[in-house]
Short mmCIF file of all heavy atoms in Angstrom, two decimals:
data_model
loop_
_atom_site.label_atom_id
_atom_site.label_comp_id
_atom_site.label_asym_id
_atom_site.label_seq_id
_atom_site.Cartn_x
_atom_site.Cartn_y
_atom_site.Cartn_z
N GLY Q 91 -64.63 -44.02 -162.12
CA GLY Q 91 -65.32 -43.26 -163.14
C GLY Q 91 -64.37 -42.47 -164.03
O GLY Q 91 -63.15 -42.67 -163.93
N VAL Q 92 -64.99 -41.56 -164.73
CA VAL Q 92 -64.29 -40.75 -165.77
C VAL Q 92 -64.91 -39.41 -165.90
O VAL Q 92 -66.17 -39.26 -165.65
CB VAL Q 92 -64.25 -41.41 -167.13
CG1 VAL Q 92 -63.48 -42.69 -167.16
CG2 VAL Q 92 -65.68 -41.63 -167.72
N ILE Q 93 -64.10 -38.40 -166.31
CA ILE Q 93 -64.62 -37.26 -166.96
C ILE Q 93 -64.24 -37.39 -168.37
O ILE Q 93 -63.03 -37.53 -168.72
CB ILE Q 93 -63.99 -35.92 -166.34
CG1 ILE Q 93 -64.50 -35.78 -164.86
CG2 ILE Q 93 -64.45 -34.73 -167.22
CD1 ILE Q 93 -63.94 -34.59 -164.15
N MET Q 94 -65.23 -37.35 -169.27
CA MET Q 94 -65.05 -37.57 -170.73
C MET Q 94 -65.22 -36.20 -171.46
O MET Q 94 -66.07 -35.45 -171.11
CB MET Q 94 -65.99 -38.61 -171.26
CG MET Q 94 -65.90 -39.97 -170.54
SD MET Q 94 -67.17 -41.06 -170.92
CE MET Q 94 -66.88 -41.33 -172.60
N GLU Q 95 -64.41 -36.08 -172.47
CA GLU Q 95 -64.59 -34.95 -173.35
C GLU Q 95 -65.39 -35.50 -174.59
O GLU Q 95 -64.91 -36.31 -175.31
CB GLU Q 95 -63.21 -34.40 -173.81
CG GLU Q 95 -63.31 -33.14 -174.65
CD GLU Q 95 -61.95 -32.48 -174.90
OE1 GLU Q 95 -60.99 -32.64 -174.08
OE2 GLU Q 95 -61.81 -31.87 -175.95
N ILE Q 96 -66.65 -34.97 -174.72
CA ILE Q 96 -67.56 -35.38 -175.72
C ILE Q 96 -68.11 -34.22 -176.44
O ILE Q 96 -68.68 -33.33 -175.77
CB ILE Q 96 -68.62 -36.28 -175.21
CG1 ILE Q 96 -68.03 -37.52 -174.52
CG2 ILE Q 96 -69.65 -36.71 -176.26
CD1 ILE Q 96 -69.13 -38.41 -173.79
N GLU Q 97 -67.97 -34.06 -177.70
CA GLU Q 97 -68.67 -33.06 -178.51
C GLU Q 97 -68.35 -31.68 -177.97
O GLU Q 97 -69.17 -30.79 -177.92
CB GLU Q 97 -70.16 -33.30 -178.61
CG GLU Q 97 -70.54 -34.59 -179.37
CD GLU Q 97 -72.01 -34.85 -179.41
OE1 GLU Q 97 -72.80 -34.06 -178.92
OE2 GLU Q 97 -72.37 -35.88 -179.95
N GLY Q 98 -67.04 -31.44 -177.56
CA GLY Q 98 -66.60 -30.06 -177.22
C GLY Q 98 -66.92 -29.73 -175.79
O GLY Q 98 -66.74 -28.56 -175.39
N THR Q 99 -67.46 -30.62 -174.90
CA THR Q 99 -67.70 -30.34 -173.50
C THR Q 99 -67.30 -31.54 -172.66
O THR Q 99 -66.74 -32.48 -173.17
CB THR Q 99 -69.24 -29.93 -173.38
OG1 THR Q 99 -69.38 -29.41 -172.03
CG2 THR Q 99 -70.18 -31.12 -173.60
N LEU Q 100 -67.55 -31.40 -171.39
CA LEU Q 100 -67.21 -32.54 -170.50
C LEU Q 100 -68.38 -33.09 -169.78
O LEU Q 100 -69.41 -32.41 -169.57
CB LEU Q 100 -66.24 -31.89 -169.34
CG LEU Q 100 -65.02 -31.18 -169.90
CD1 LEU Q 100 -64.29 -30.55 -168.71
CD2 LEU Q 100 -64.09 -32.13 -170.62
N ILE Q 101 -68.28 -34.36 -169.41
CA ILE Q 101 -69.32 -35.03 -168.65
C ILE Q 101 -68.67 -35.90 -167.62
O ILE Q 101 -67.63 -36.57 -167.86
CB ILE Q 101 -70.22 -35.80 -169.59
CG1 ILE Q 101 -71.51 -36.25 -168.80
CG2 ILE Q 101 -69.56 -37.03 -170.22
CD1 ILE Q 101 -72.67 -36.56 -169.70
N LEU Q 102 -69.26 -35.95 -166.39
CA LEU Q 102 -68.71 -36.77 -165.32
C LEU Q 102 -69.56 -38.03 -165.19
O LEU Q 102 -70.80 -37.84 -165.09
CB LEU Q 102 -68.75 -35.96 -163.98
CG LEU Q 102 -68.49 -36.71 -162.75
CD1 LEU Q 102 -67.07 -37.26 -162.63
CD2 LEU Q 102 -68.72 -35.78 -161.50
N ARG Q 103 -68.95 -39.19 -165.23
CA ARG Q 103 -69.67 -40.43 -165.07
C ARG Q 103 -68.90 -41.36 -164.12
O ARG Q 103 -67.76 -41.57 -164.20
CB ARG Q 103 -69.81 -41.21 -166.46
CG ARG Q 103 -70.64 -40.46 -167.44
CD ARG Q 103 -70.72 -41.22 -168.73
NE ARG Q 103 -71.69 -40.51 -169.61
CZ ARG Q 103 -71.73 -40.67 -170.93
NH1 ARG Q 103 -70.94 -41.46 -171.54
NH2 ARG Q 103 -72.60 -39.99 -171.60
N PHE Q 104 -69.71 -42.02 -163.25
CA PHE Q 104 -69.12 -43.00 -162.36
C PHE Q 104 -70.09 -44.01 -161.83
O PHE Q 104 -71.31 -43.85 -161.94
CB PHE Q 104 -68.34 -42.28 -161.21
CG PHE Q 104 -69.26 -41.44 -160.30
CD1 PHE Q 104 -69.88 -41.97 -159.24
CD2 PHE Q 104 -69.32 -40.11 -160.55
CE1 PHE Q 104 -70.67 -41.22 -158.36
CE2 PHE Q 104 -70.12 -39.28 -159.68
CZ PHE Q 104 -70.73 -39.88 -158.60
N LYS Q 105 -69.57 -45.03 -161.21
CA LYS Q 105 -70.32 -46.08 -160.59
C LYS Q 105 -69.80 -46.23 -159.10
O LYS Q 105 -68.63 -46.11 -158.83
CB LYS Q 105 -70.18 -47.46 -161.28
CG LYS Q 105 -70.85 -47.42 -162.69
CD LYS Q 105 -70.68 -48.77 -163.35
CE LYS Q 105 -71.76 -49.71 -162.98
NZ LYS Q 105 -72.74 -50.06 -163.92
N HIS Q 106 -70.76 -46.68 -158.23
CA HIS Q 106 -70.38 -46.99 -156.82
C HIS Q 106 -70.23 -48.49 -156.61
O HIS Q 106 -70.90 -49.32 -157.34
CB HIS Q 106 -71.48 -46.56 -155.92
CG HIS Q 106 -71.75 -45.07 -155.91
ND1 HIS Q 106 -72.60 -44.48 -156.73
CD2 HIS Q 106 -71.23 -44.15 -155.10
CE1 HIS Q 106 -72.59 -43.16 -156.44
NE2 HIS Q 106 -71.75 -42.96 -155.45
N PHE Q 107 -69.35 -48.89 -155.70
CA PHE Q 107 -69.11 -50.35 -155.45
C PHE Q 107 -68.97 -50.51 -153.97
O PHE Q 107 -68.48 -49.73 -153.26
CB PHE Q 107 -67.88 -50.75 -156.14
CG PHE Q 107 -67.96 -50.71 -157.63
CD1 PHE Q 107 -67.64 -49.55 -158.33
CD2 PHE Q 107 -68.44 -51.77 -158.46
CE1 PHE Q 107 -67.69 -49.54 -159.71
CE2 PHE Q 107 -68.51 -51.71 -159.75
CZ PHE Q 107 -68.18 -50.60 -160.41
N THR Q 108 -69.48 -51.69 -153.55
CA THR Q 108 -69.34 -52.09 -152.15
C THR Q 108 -67.88 -52.47 -151.83
O THR Q 108 -67.08 -52.54 -152.81
CB THR Q 108 -70.25 -53.29 -151.83
OG1 THR Q 108 -69.74 -54.42 -152.59
CG2 THR Q 108 -71.72 -53.04 -152.10
N PRO Q 109 -67.48 -52.73 -150.63
CA PRO Q 109 -66.10 -53.10 -150.33
C PRO Q 109 -65.60 -54.34 -151.05
O PRO Q 109 -64.44 -54.49 -151.35
CB PRO Q 109 -66.10 -53.35 -148.82
CG PRO Q 109 -67.20 -52.44 -148.30
CD PRO Q 109 -68.29 -52.46 -149.37
N ASP Q 110 -66.57 -55.24 -151.39
CA ASP Q 110 -66.15 -56.43 -152.18
C ASP Q 110 -66.43 -56.24 -153.68
O ASP Q 110 -66.56 -57.22 -154.46
CB ASP Q 110 -66.78 -57.68 -151.67
CG ASP Q 110 -68.31 -57.62 -151.63
OD1 ASP Q 110 -68.88 -56.49 -151.86
OD2 ASP Q 110 -68.90 -58.69 -151.35
N ILE Q 111 -66.55 -55.01 -154.15
CA ILE Q 111 -66.61 -54.67 -155.55
C ILE Q 111 -67.91 -55.10 -156.21
O ILE Q 111 -67.97 -55.34 -157.43
CB ILE Q 111 -65.41 -55.12 -156.39
CG1 ILE Q 111 -64.12 -54.87 -155.72
CG2 ILE Q 111 -65.36 -54.44 -157.76
CD1 ILE Q 111 -63.81 -53.34 -155.55
N LYS Q 112 -68.99 -55.16 -155.47
CA LYS Q 112 -70.37 -55.38 -156.06
C LYS Q 112 -70.94 -54.02 -156.37
O LYS Q 112 -70.93 -53.15 -155.52
CB LYS Q 112 -71.26 -56.18 -155.09
CG LYS Q 112 -70.80 -57.62 -154.95
CD LYS Q 112 -71.68 -58.35 -153.97
CE LYS Q 112 -71.11 -59.78 -153.80
NZ LYS Q 112 -71.77 -60.43 -152.69
N GLY Q 113 -71.44 -53.83 -157.59
CA GLY Q 113 -71.96 -52.58 -158.01
C GLY Q 113 -73.24 -52.13 -157.33
O GLY Q 113 -74.14 -53.00 -157.10
N TRP Q 114 -73.36 -50.85 -156.97
CA TRP Q 114 -74.64 -50.30 -156.39
C TRP Q 114 -75.58 -50.17 -157.57
O TRP Q 114 -76.77 -50.52 -157.40
CB TRP Q 114 -74.36 -48.96 -155.74
CG TRP Q 114 -73.65 -49.00 -154.44
CD1 TRP Q 114 -73.07 -50.09 -153.83
CD2 TRP Q 114 -73.40 -47.89 -153.64
NE1 TRP Q 114 -72.40 -49.70 -152.67
CE2 TRP Q 114 -72.61 -48.33 -152.53
CE3 TRP Q 114 -73.66 -46.54 -153.72
CZ2 TRP Q 114 -72.17 -47.54 -151.48
CZ3 TRP Q 114 -73.30 -45.72 -152.69
CH2 TRP Q 114 -72.50 -46.14 -151.59
N GLU Q 115 -75.14 -49.58 -158.63
CA GLU Q 115 -76.03 -49.34 -159.75
C GLU Q 115 -76.05 -50.68 -160.52
O GLU Q 115 -75.21 -51.54 -160.44
CB GLU Q 115 -75.47 -48.23 -160.69
CG GLU Q 115 -75.44 -46.86 -160.10
CD GLU Q 115 -74.22 -46.61 -159.19
OE1 GLU Q 115 -73.23 -47.37 -159.21
OE2 GLU Q 115 -74.30 -45.62 -158.44
N THR Q 116 -77.15 -50.87 -161.33
CA THR Q 116 -77.25 -52.08 -162.12
C THR Q 116 -76.18 -52.12 -163.16
O THR Q 116 -75.53 -51.17 -163.45
CB THR Q 116 -78.66 -52.20 -162.69
OG1 THR Q 116 -78.88 -51.09 -163.59
CG2 THR Q 116 -79.78 -52.26 -161.67
N LYS Q 117 -76.08 -53.28 -163.76
CA LYS Q 117 -74.95 -53.63 -164.70
C LYS Q 117 -74.60 -52.50 -165.65
O LYS Q 117 -73.50 -52.05 -165.77
CB LYS Q 117 -75.35 -54.86 -165.51
CG LYS Q 117 -74.28 -55.27 -166.44
CD LYS Q 117 -74.66 -56.53 -167.25
CE LYS Q 117 -73.65 -56.80 -168.30
NZ LYS Q 117 -74.09 -57.97 -169.13
#
Side-chain angles (χ1 to χ4, degrees):
V92 295
I93 293 178
M94 301 169 65
E95 188 173 327
I96 300 174
E97 298 176 3
T99 193
L100 304 175
I101 193 158
L102 170 63
R103 292 183 175 157
F104 61 86
K105 292 180 87 110
H106 295 92
F107 296 88
T108 64
D110 58 350
I111 314 294
K112 291 181 182 167
W114 289 4
E115 294 83 15
T116 59
K117 180 181 174 185

